Amino acid sequence: MDADASELNRLATFGLPGGVETPLVAHSLEELLQHAHCERLLVPLHEAAAAGMVQNATDDWCEQLRNAAMEAAGTTLATQSRAADAVERLRVEGVDPIVLKGTATAYLDYDRPFERWSSDADLLVHVDEVGVVRRVFDDRSQQPTRGRRWADEFGHAITLANDDDVHLDVHTRLTPGYIGNALPGAQLRTHLERFAIGGVDLTALDGAGRLLHAALHARTVGVSLQSRLDVPQLVLGSKVDWREAVKRSVDWRIDYFFALGVRSAWRTFDLAAHPLLDWADRHRPTGRQRLVRLIARERPRGNMIAGPLGLPPHKWIPYTWPI
């Protein structure tokens, strides 16, 4: 890990229990700012710098950081407005989606919604509602790389975009492949929480559900530091019941992958020990998850190849045929 990456990882935890408390000297202010932009951590970096955590910060650099953080906050607010607008449009058609990831977490788990940078909004709908979504947003829908029937039921998301390039990802499952297939959609949708954006009432997964989703997302390759920061933020900076998240992961047979995400996120930021991390460190795959790990290993599409193991037998052929 290079110097600016290590510094950013530490500064991002400012304000969290067990996070950075001692000011540091940045190896390169310019590279630190660039890295924060790439990793979507401009606002946390600005909060830390404003509190004096970057000893060699100059006035010019602080001004650059402030402007960049304000621009990021504007992007986030536009994205959140887009999510509320999309939900209202879909409700007119009888679809009431669940708001996922950044937008929901920003309102329910961060002190101020703009602290959690988002440039796209994510919604969860039922498979049989995808046709309505395509009709409502047909003029902005991208053609899936595989057939639409497969993409609607097993794919990652339908991606839509408006004129100012705010993206809306409409999901029918939390993640593709084995994990998304193994998650029981009906049970997932019974644990919900309400919040509002601009007077629009919205639905999100409850705290344990948001933590599960955050950790599953954190284990994927290429995910931003902002997304990984959601895991300790939910555990340390919110009132989420992490023990309930552990219980559901075991009941739903995704506990090994939940543990991987927790370990990845926690060690990224070098945070102090926590009972959830202790559980994750001790955890090993069992049963079907052991087989998924053997099949997936380092294959680029390993999770997708192992996908049928999370499905009932009558879904195996529809899932594997396009592969």
Side-chain angles (χ1 to χ4, degrees):
M1 183 182 297
D2 55 28
D4 60 284
S6 175
E7 292 159 1
L8 181 62
N9 291 7
R10 291 165 59 196
L11 291 167
T13 66
F14 176 71
L16 284 176
V20 63
E21 296 179 350
T22 304
L24 56 81
V25 176
H27 172 75
S28 168
L29 291 172
E30 181 179 353
E31 291 180 6
L32 179 60
L33 181 58
Q34 291 175 350
H35 192 57
H37 185 277
C38 292
E39 297 293 346
R40 302 186 169 201
L41 287 173
L42 286 167
V43 175
L45 177 59
H46 176 260
E47 295 291 321
M53 298 302 293
V54 183
Q55 286 185 332
N56 57 330
T58 65
D59 291 342
D60 287 344
W61 182 79
C62 287
E63 183 66 16
Q64 291 179 44
L65 174 57
R66 178 180 177 274
N67 292 337
M70 289 182 64
E71 184 177 349
T75 298
T76 296
L77 293 173
T79 299
Q80 293 164 353
S81 175
R82 167 81 164 127
D85 174 70
V87 170
E88 284 195 304
R89 291 182 63 181
L90 290 172
R91 280 177 177 163
V92 172
E93 303 296 328
V95 177
D96 192 8
I98 297 171
V99 181
L100 297 174
K101 293 191 337 187
T103 299
T105 301
Y107 273 81
L108 293 167
D109 303 296
Y110 284 77
D111 291 337
R112 294 168 294 181
F114 63 82
E115 292 179 2
R116 204 287 185 189
W117 185 3
S118 295
S119 59
D120 56 3
D122 297 83
L123 304 178
L124 180 68
V125 302
H126 291 278
V127 173
D128 57 9
E129 295 172 335
V130 172
V132 177
V133 175
R134 289 192 183 281
R135 185 173 72 247
V136 173
F137 297 102
D138 185 62
D139 59 325
R140 291 176 278 183
S141 181
Q142 298 179 355
Q143 182 67 29
T145 54
R146 293 179 180 171
R148 281 195 170 184
R149 286 186 60 187
W150 192 94
D152 290 351
E153 185 168 3
F154 304 116
H156 176 249
I158 305 164
T159 302
L160 315 164
N162 64 3
D163 294 338
D164 56 0
D165 203 32
V166 174
H167 286 244
L168 174 69
D169 289 337
V170 180
H171 305 253
T172 57
R173 57 197 61 222
L174 292 190
T175 181
Y178 168 80
I179 299 170
N181 293 343
L183 281 167
Q187 293 183 48
L188 188 71
R189 289 175 169 86
T190 62
H191 304 285
L192 303 175
E193 192 169 340
R194 306 289 293 186
F195 70 106
I197 297 179
V200 179
D201 289 330
L202 302 170
T203 304
L205 300 175
D206 71 351
R210 295 194 302 277
L211 177 55
L212 273 172
H213 194 191
L216 294 174
H217 189 52
R219 58 170 288 277
T220 57
V221 176
V223 66
S224 71
L225 287 179
Q226 171 66 90
S227 293
R228 293 189 179 191
L229 186 61
D230 284 343
V231 176
Q233 176 67 34
L234 281 155
V235 176
L236 302 173
S238 188
K239 297 179 179 179
V240 168
D241 185 353
W242 61 265
R243 292 178 178 82
E244 176 62 23
V246 169
K247 179 180 181 301
R248 287 185 206 171
S249 73
V250 173
D251 291 345
W252 296 344
R253 295 187 297 182
I254 57 166
D255 40 298
Y256 173 65
F257 302 101
F258 175 57
L260 283 181
V262 169
R263 293 203 301 264
S264 175
W266 219 266
R267 296 249 154 68
T268 294
F269 300 102
D270 194 26
L271 288 161
H274 185 275
L276 176 59
L277 180 63
D278 294 340
W279 170 84
D281 280 340
R282 295 193 307 268
H283 209 67
R284 296 294 179 268
T286 59
R288 191 169 296 181
Q289 292 178 87
R290 182 184 298 172
L291 180 57
V292 172
R293 187 184 67 166
L294 290 173
I295 293 173
R297 290 201 177 269
E298 301 301 323
R299 295 183 178 94
R301 297 168 64 205
N303 182 46
M304 300 297 291
I305 294 171
L309 295 175
L311 293 169
H314 72 276
K315 291 285 187 179
W316 290 355
I317 291 178
Y319 180 89
T320 57
W321 182 255
I323 298 176

